[in-house]
Amino acid sequence: MSSHTVKIAPSLLSADFANLAADVATCEQGGADVLHVDVMDGHFVPNITIGPLVVDALRSRTTLPMDCHLMISDPDRYIDLFASAGAAWISVHAEVTPHLHRTIGAIRAAGCRPGVVLNPMTSLDHAYEAAGDAEFILLMSVNPGFGGQSFIPGFYRRCERLRTWLDTNGHSNVEIEVDGGVKLDNVRSIVDVGANIIVSGSGLFRGDLAANIAEMRRIATA
Ligand code: DX5
Ligand code: ZN
């Protein structure tokens, strides 16, 4: 269990792309803390989704911070673009970011909160090395690329290990974000192993979005 406040971050990947502003408004009404924006380039991951133009279009429609999860092969080229489009948080994958220290610095210099993302089988060593610089570590609980996939249970062991390591090595300020397959029925066990930024797409957008956000918060904070 983390001492950090639980933050509910609906993933816009599951939104109605023809009515994004309406879904964003519903996220706000439901009490979301953050909007999770999945950026995919068709190269690092098979899918192609949202770019800076869409982030820029949404910025006037919401006061919520936009958490831009860059699933792209060359994130360094796009950090400034996402920052000036209105991203508040930017996270990059350790697997494709060879100069991670420099990239984190560039995110911070652009005025955003830097995060580092690890795929389900990427060594936690990357998180340990980044902990002094990144503000959050995003542990993927699916293989990135698509919404609606099944949660990979290896997440529990990894998250517990990372939370313990952060708390015993002077990095208790670093938050852990979870992304992939998070639903109302597993969020409690996910929070119990130390994640506090909760991304959920299909788990929130199927059914009553606002009610699901409120219910996820209730379960996660009970
Ligand atoms: C997957 C994305 C996720 C995705 C989660 O590559 O990073 O943010 O939208 O969707 P669900 O919650 O449906 O697994
Ligand atoms: Zn994501």
Side-chain angles (χ1 to χ4, degrees):
M1 180 102 188
S2 163
S3 56
H4 291 284
T5 313
V6 165
K7 298 183 174 91
I8 307 293
S11 166
L12 296 186
L13 191 59
S14 289
D16 177 355
F17 278 22
N19 289 290
L20 263 185
D23 277 353
V24 164
T26 308
C27 288
E28 286 203 19
Q29 285 152 21
D33 300 287
V34 178
L35 295 174
H36 185 81
V37 180
D38 286 305
V39 178
M40 305 187 189
D41 65 353
H43 189 259
F44 174 56
V45 292
N47 212 351
I48 299 177
T49 56
I50 294 172
L53 283 175
V54 175
V55 174
D56 186 48
L58 287 177
R59 73 197 303 189
S60 64
R61 303 301 190 102
T62 183
T63 57
L64 297 178
M66 283 187 272
D67 166 28
C68 292
H69 172 196
L70 303 190
M71 287 161 275
I72 63 179
S73 291
D74 191 0
D76 295 294
R77 280 179 62 189
Y78 297 97
I79 286 164
D80 286 339
L81 265 177
F82 279 98
S84 51
W89 307 4
I90 294 179
S91 60
V92 295
H93 273 260
E95 301 83 7
V96 284
T97 314
H99 310 293
L100 197 46
H101 179 270
R102 188 167 68 199
T103 303
I104 292 169
I107 295 171
R108 203 180 281 285
C112 299
R113 285 191 91 205
V116 168
V117 193
L118 306 186
N119 278 338
M121 288 200 178
T122 299
S123 169
L124 288 180
D125 280 348
H126 294 280
Y128 304 153
E129 299 299 343
D133 297 289
E135 295 192 18
F136 61 97
I137 305 292
L138 168 43
L139 293 182
M140 292 305 301
S141 41
V142 296
N143 297 298
F146 302 94
Q149 303 182 84
S150 298
F151 184 85
I152 298 172
F155 169 86
Y156 291 119
R157 178 181 45 83
R158 284 164 63 75
C159 186
E160 194 161 34
R161 190 178 288 173
L162 176 58
R163 186 70 267 162
T164 302
W165 189 92
L166 292 169
D167 290 344
T168 53
N169 286 274
H171 298 298
S172 54
N173 58 312
V174 176
E175 299 183 279
I176 300 179
E177 181 169 18
V178 58
D179 185 6
V182 181
K183 312 269 194 237
L184 293 175
D185 65 6
N186 61 6
V187 68
R188 179 73 247 166
S189 52
I190 288 166
V191 169
D192 283 344
V193 290
N196 71 290
I197 304 167
I198 313 297
V199 176
S200 178
S202 51
L204 294 175
F205 279 84
R206 275 189 204 142
D208 184 335
L209 173 59
N212 287 340
I213 294 170
E215 180 65 358
M216 186 164 281
R217 181 187 305 288
R218 191 191 64 75
I219 296 169
T221 56

